[in-house]
Amino acid sequence: MRSTLVLFIIALCVKIQLSPSLATFVSIDCGSSESFTDQNNIRWVGDDEYIQHGVPQQVYLGSDDPLSTLRVFPNGKKHCYSIKVEEGEKVLARASFYYGNYDDKFSPPVFDLQFDGNYWATVNTSNYYYVDYEAIYVTKGNFTSICVAQTKPKMLPFISSLELRSLDPKMYSHVGSNHALILQWRYAFGANQTIRYPDDIYDRIWRAADGINLSEIHGDSSSRIDITTSEDVPPESSLQNAIVSSSTNVYIQFINRLQSKEQVPVYITTYFSELIPTAVGKRSFQMFIDNNKFSTPIVPPFGQVKELYVTNFTASSDTSFTLQATQASTLPPILNALEVYTLSNPLTAGTDSRDVEGLLQLQFAFEVLVEWSGDPCLPYPYSWDWIQCSTDPTPRVIALYLSGYDLRGVLPDFSSMDALQTIDLHNNTIEGPIPDFLGLLPKLKTLNLSHNRFNGSIPASLKNTKIDFE
């Protein structure tokens, strides 16, 4: 809240300048058919338009809370939400899970979370609190898929909410587009509450944090901090407070919450802004990693923000990160905000596009197949139930097992699937002529069309071939 109209107008102008044209800002309340606007002015919609299967369940948290409903998937290996995006768009995806003992079994499940055919995280749910997972990545098509996959018997995957936000392509640019950033933690030090949209126009969630044996300092709320020069555009409110050590002889050490004692690639962004006008130029410090000097001296600017990145670096739960005052500094180090990510494995290009196109034709023709979505083959072993895939880096679909799937109608043209070796369509209600292209598939060895309603003669392409045909 600004104290004068003039300040309000200035703030509004800055906000307008900063607000990007967000191509994607989607908030899905999974398991719900209702829409509502929450206390942060975020519009939530039910998930009926995004998924056609699964079972909605209620968790008793009250109305207008996206965690009060969930969608559970009692059948199948993998279940995906597909969201329209722009190809090559940098997005932030956030998936949240609140078990809340919805099934009265007091048995919170463990399962996998995936995006676009890539492993994202293993979801460990709880009886008592919610968990969320966040990833930043560049999309490779016009849709992105977020999936949950069953990994253990009797542990049914579910999801409570799903959010997708566009990011400016210049943000988080110190990592290539072939890797995703998997959030470990994001803190606004000295803040008294969680910060997100509308303060952060990209709706990142900044948890309020303090430090052990560290002091908090708070800036003048009427003083502006120019964030336009920052690559990653942190919200101004995440910089208006900070932690400092007690003296120049005492360092700030990051609390390391990495899970693994093995080295993993990390991406860390630290944010510094001086909050005391009289301290300008008097505070200087450096980052040390495992007691080795990592950065040149950092002098935090007043009214602006300075970022320091840790990239192309591996760390473990034993790695230490500290900020230590330089000999020339008369004031201790300061830290306003911090983001820590791990890097994913290299992202897959997905199932071969020729097979994706052919499978799409089958789904257009047979509505019963529409419930399968996401990448058809990846990640291994979570392919669609009725296909078999090769193990190539860009997998091909080598078999269709659609016997008894109650397929009704005319067989479409899926001749683009030229790696098929087996096609089993028996015991359905497929009608019309047998397509000529089936005999022209170069690798086809087995074709079973029995117990359908095909009519007409067998095409010449299927006569005098080595295809095992019935």
Side-chain angles (χ1 to χ4, degrees):
M1 180 69 67
R2 301 301 172 192
S3 57
T4 69
L5 178 61
V6 172
L7 284 175
F8 174 77
I9 292 173
I10 293 173
L12 181 61
C13 291
V14 172
K15 191 90 168 182
I16 291 172
Q17 288 178 338
L18 288 177
S19 294
S21 176
L22 294 185
T24 304
F25 198 102
V26 176
S27 304
I28 303 172
D29 184 5
C30 302
S32 173
S33 298
E34 304 297 325
S35 299
F36 68 93
T37 301
D38 69 13
Q39 67 273 19
N40 296 306
N41 204 32
I42 295 173
R43 182 68 174 169
W44 291 84
V45 298
D47 64 353
D48 293 342
E49 293 184 8
Y50 296 94
I51 200 160
Q52 285 76 44
H53 56 288
V55 180
Q57 295 284 354
Q58 185 80 26
V59 181
Y60 297 100
L61 283 176
S63 60
D64 293 352
D65 188 327
L67 299 179
S68 65
T69 59
L70 60 84
R71 184 174 292 271
V72 63
F73 303 96
N75 302 303
K77 295 185 294 186
K78 177 174 69 174
H79 308 274
C80 303
Y81 286 75
S82 293
I83 303 172
K84 187 171 178 58
V85 294
E86 294 182 0
E87 184 175 355
E89 182 180 359
K90 185 171 287 187
V91 296
L92 178 153
R94 184 163 50 239
S96 299
F97 307 86
Y98 180 55
Y99 169 65
N101 195 34
Y102 76 89
D103 55 3
D104 294 322
K105 294 181 179 179
F106 290 97
S107 182
V110 176
F111 49 88
D112 275 2
L113 179 63
Q114 306 163 355
F115 71 92
D116 291 350
N118 301 279
Y119 171 80
W120 178 349
T122 296
V123 178
N124 286 277
T125 62
S126 167
N127 279 316
Y128 307 108
Y129 54 84
Y130 83 95
V131 293
D132 61 12
Y133 299 83
E134 188 177 301
I136 293 172
Y137 59 95
V138 176
T139 62
K140 295 188 176 181
N142 293 321
F143 284 86
T144 189
S145 61
I146 310 295
C147 310
V148 291
Q150 184 172 359
T151 56
K152 298 183 179 182
K154 298 182 180 180
M155 289 198 172
L156 303 182
F158 73 89
I159 186 167
S160 301
S161 68
L162 182 58
E163 301 163 85
L164 197 70
R165 316 294 193 229
S166 295
L167 298 177
D168 189 290
K170 297 178 183 178
M171 296 171 66
Y172 305 103
S173 60
H174 299 272
V175 63
S177 62
N178 199 38
H179 292 273
L181 295 178
I182 310 301
L183 181 68
Q184 302 302 308
W185 60 92
R186 182 188 292 118
Y187 291 143
F189 292 102
N192 59 10
Q193 62 183 5
T194 298
I195 299 166
R196 63 176 303 179
Y197 184 87
D199 289 340
D200 187 331
I201 55 178
Y202 300 102
D203 196 29
R204 292 162 294 185
I205 296 177
W206 304 76
R207 313 285 184 189
D210 51 20
I212 300 174
N213 298 322
L214 298 171
S215 301
E216 296 180 5
I217 59 173
H218 306 282
D220 185 345
S221 60
S222 64
S223 298
R224 305 291 310 184
I225 299 176
D226 181 9
I227 59 175
T228 58
T229 58
S230 170
E231 285 186 27
D232 298 322
V233 199
E236 192 175 350
S237 53
S238 71
L239 307 172
Q240 290 174 333
N241 308 282
I243 52 174
V244 295
S245 61
S246 57
S247 73
T248 56
N249 295 322
V250 178
Y251 55 75
I252 295 176
Q253 181 166 352
F254 302 173
I255 296 175
N256 186 338
R257 299 177 187 265
L258 293 174
Q259 301 292 316
S260 175
K261 286 189 172 293
E262 297 182 358
Q263 296 286 317
V264 295
V266 296
Y267 185 106
I268 300 174
T269 303
T270 49
Y271 301 90
F272 309 100
S273 183
E274 184 57 71
L275 300 177
I276 304 172
T278 57
V280 174
K282 299 178 182 179
R283 196 188 306 272
S284 173
F285 51 90
Q286 293 173 279
M287 180 181 287
F288 286 73
I289 302 179
D290 287 336
N291 296 318
N292 296 311
K293 189 182 299 182
F294 177 79
S295 73
T296 57
I298 301 163
V299 179
F302 181 78
Q304 293 182 314
V305 57
K306 182 176 181 62
E307 291 185 58
L308 174 65
Y309 309 96
V310 179
T311 62
N312 299 315
F313 191 85
T314 60
S316 72
S317 57
D318 295 325
T319 305
S320 68
F321 299 87
T322 58
L323 301 175
Q324 302 181 27
T326 64
Q327 291 185 346
S329 181
T330 59
L331 292 173
I334 187 174
L335 177 61
N336 304 70
L338 169 71
E339 295 181 89
V340 178
Y341 300 87
T342 54
L343 269 65
S344 72
N345 290 328
L347 301 183
T348 174
T351 300
D352 191 285
S353 60
R354 291 167 290 183
D355 296 323
V356 173
E357 173 59 29
L359 292 171
L360 189 60
Q361 295 305 317
L362 285 165
Q363 289 183 310
F364 283 150
F366 304 118
E367 187 177 354
V368 70
L369 303 180
V370 171
E371 70 174 72
W372 282 269
S373 60
D375 190 280
C377 293
L378 296 170
Y380 177 83
Y382 301 104
S383 63
W384 292 1
D385 298 334
W386 41 274
I387 67 174
Q388 181 181 345
C389 301
S390 71
T391 57
D392 301 317
T394 301
R396 297 301 308 269
V397 177
I398 58 175
L400 296 176
Y401 296 111
L402 284 166
S403 171
Y405 269 75
D406 196 26
L407 306 183
R408 298 173 181 270
V410 177
L411 200 63
D413 182 352
F414 52 92
S415 58
S416 61
M417 301 179 70
D418 56 8
L420 282 170
Q421 300 173 21
T422 300
I423 299 175
D424 184 358
L425 299 173
H426 84 278
N427 196 25
N428 286 291
T429 316
I430 305 173
E431 55 193 28
I434 297 174
D436 185 64
F437 76 83
L438 292 174
L440 302 177
L441 293 171
K443 297 184 179 181
L444 190 64
K445 298 176 182 177
T446 302
L447 175 63
N448 191 342
L449 303 179
S450 62
H451 301 288
N452 280 286
R453 295 180 180 176
F454 289 107
N455 55 45
S457 59
I458 295 174
S461 63
L462 284 171
K463 297 178 180 178
N464 302 319
T465 69
K466 294 182 180 180
I467 298 173
D468 182 8
F469 173 51
E470 61 178 291

Coordinates of all heavy atoms in Angstrom, one line a residue, residues 92 128 135 139 201-202 205 212 222 242 259 287 292 323 330 335 382 433 448:
L92 N 7.7 -22.1 -16.1 CA 7.8 -22.6 -14.7 C 6.6 -23.5 -14.5 O 5.5 -23.0 -14.6 CB 7.9 -21.4 -13.7 CG 7.9 -21.7 -12.2 CD1 8.6 -20.6 -11.5 CD2 6.5 -22.0 -11.6
Y128 N -0.2 -35.3 6.7 CA -0.4 -34.0 7.4 C -0.1 -32.7 6.7 O -0.6 -31.7 7.1 CB 0.3 -34.1 8.7 CG 0.1 -35.3 9.5 CD1 1.1 -36.3 9.6 CD2 -1.2 -35.6 10.1 CE1 0.8 -37.5 10.3 CE2 -1.4 -36.7 10.8 CZ -0.4 -37.7 10.9 OH -0.7 -38.8 11.6
A135 N 9.7 -26.9 -11.5 CA 10.7 -27.0 -12.5 C 10.6 -25.9 -13.5 O 9.5 -25.4 -13.8 CB 10.6 -28.4 -13.3
T139 N 10.0 -25.5 -23.5 CA 9.1 -26.5 -24.2 C 9.6 -26.8 -25.6 O 10.3 -26.0 -26.2 CB 7.7 -25.9 -24.3 OG1 7.7 -24.7 -25.1 CG2 7.1 -25.6 -22.9
I201 N 5.5 -11.1 -10.6 CA 4.7 -11.2 -11.7 C 4.8 -12.6 -12.4 O 3.9 -13.0 -13.2 CB 5.0 -10.1 -12.7 CG1 6.4 -10.1 -13.1 CG2 4.5 -8.8 -12.2 CD1 6.8 -9.0 -14.2
Y202 N 5.8 -13.3 -12.1 CA 6.0 -14.7 -12.6 C 5.5 -15.7 -11.7 O 5.6 -16.9 -12.0 CB 7.5 -14.9 -13.0 CG 8.0 -13.9 -14.0 CD1 8.8 -12.9 -13.6 CD2 7.7 -14.1 -15.4 CE1 9.3 -11.9 -14.5 CE2 8.2 -13.1 -16.3 CZ 9.0 -12.1 -15.9 OH 9.4 -11.2 -16.8
I205 N 7.3 -18.7 -5.8 CA 7.0 -18.6 -4.4 C 8.3 -18.5 -3.6 O 9.2 -19.3 -3.7 CB 6.2 -19.9 -4.0 CG1 4.9 -20.0 -4.7 CG2 6.0 -19.9 -2.5 CD1 4.1 -21.2 -4.4
I212 N 20.4 -18.6 11.4 CA 20.9 -19.0 12.7 C 22.0 -18.1 13.2 O 23.0 -17.9 12.5 CB 21.4 -20.5 12.7 CG1 20.3 -21.4 12.3 CG2 21.9 -20.9 14.1 CD1 20.7 -22.9 12.1
S222 N 9.1 2.8 1.8 CA 8.8 3.8 0.8 C 10.0 4.0 -0.2 O 9.8 4.7 -1.2 CB 8.6 5.2 1.5 OG 9.8 5.6 2.2
A242 N 16.7 -8.4 4.7 CA 17.9 -9.1 4.5 C 18.4 -9.7 5.9 O 17.8 -9.3 6.9 CB 19.0 -8.3 3.9
Q259 N 19.9 -33.2 -0.9 CA 19.6 -34.5 -0.3 C 20.8 -35.5 -0.4 O 20.9 -36.4 0.4 CB 18.4 -35.1 -1.0 CG 17.2 -34.3 -0.9 CD 16.7 -34.2 0.6 OE1 16.6 -35.2 1.2 NE2 16.3 -33.0 1.0
M287 N 32.0 -14.7 -2.0 CA 31.5 -16.0 -1.7 C 32.6 -17.0 -1.7 O 33.5 -16.9 -2.6 CB 30.5 -16.4 -2.8 CG 29.9 -17.8 -2.6 SD 28.7 -18.4 -3.9 CE 27.3 -17.4 -3.4
N292 N 37.0 -22.2 -0.5 CA 37.8 -21.7 -1.6 C 37.1 -20.5 -2.2 O 35.8 -20.5 -2.4 CB 37.9 -22.8 -2.7 CG 38.7 -24.0 -2.3 OD1 39.8 -23.8 -1.7 ND2 38.1 -25.2 -2.5
L323 N 29.5 -16.5 2.8 CA 29.8 -15.1 2.4 C 30.7 -14.5 3.5 O 30.3 -14.5 4.7 CB 28.5 -14.3 2.3 CG 27.5 -14.8 1.3 CD1 26.2 -13.9 1.3 CD2 28.0 -14.7 -0.1
T330 N 34.0 -2.5 6.2 CA 33.7 -2.1 7.6 C 32.4 -2.6 8.1 O 32.0 -2.4 9.3 CB 33.8 -0.6 7.8 OG1 32.8 0.0 6.9 CG2 35.1 -0.1 7.4
L335 N 22.6 -10.7 2.8 CA 22.0 -11.6 1.9 C 20.5 -11.3 1.9 O 19.9 -11.4 2.9 CB 22.3 -13.1 2.2 CG 21.6 -14.1 1.3 CD1 22.1 -13.9 -0.2 CD2 21.9 -15.5 1.8
Y382 N 7.5 -46.2 -18.8 CA 6.2 -45.7 -18.7 C 5.6 -45.4 -20.1 O 5.1 -44.3 -20.3 CB 6.1 -44.5 -17.8 CG 6.6 -44.9 -16.4 CD1 7.8 -44.5 -16.0 CD2 5.8 -45.7 -15.6 CE1 8.3 -44.9 -14.7 CE2 6.2 -46.0 -14.3 CZ 7.5 -45.6 -13.9 OH 7.9 -46.0 -12.7
P433 N -12.9 -51.0 -45.7 CA -11.8 -51.8 -46.4 C -10.6 -51.9 -45.6 O -10.2 -51.0 -44.8 CB -11.6 -51.0 -47.7 CG -12.0 -49.6 -47.3 CD -13.1 -49.7 -46.3
N448 N -2.6 -58.8 -37.3 CA -3.8 -59.6 -36.9 C -5.0 -58.7 -37.0 O -5.1 -57.7 -36.1 CB -3.6 -60.2 -35.5 CG -4.7 -61.1 -35.1 OD1 -5.7 -61.2 -35.8 ND2 -4.4 -62.0 -34.1

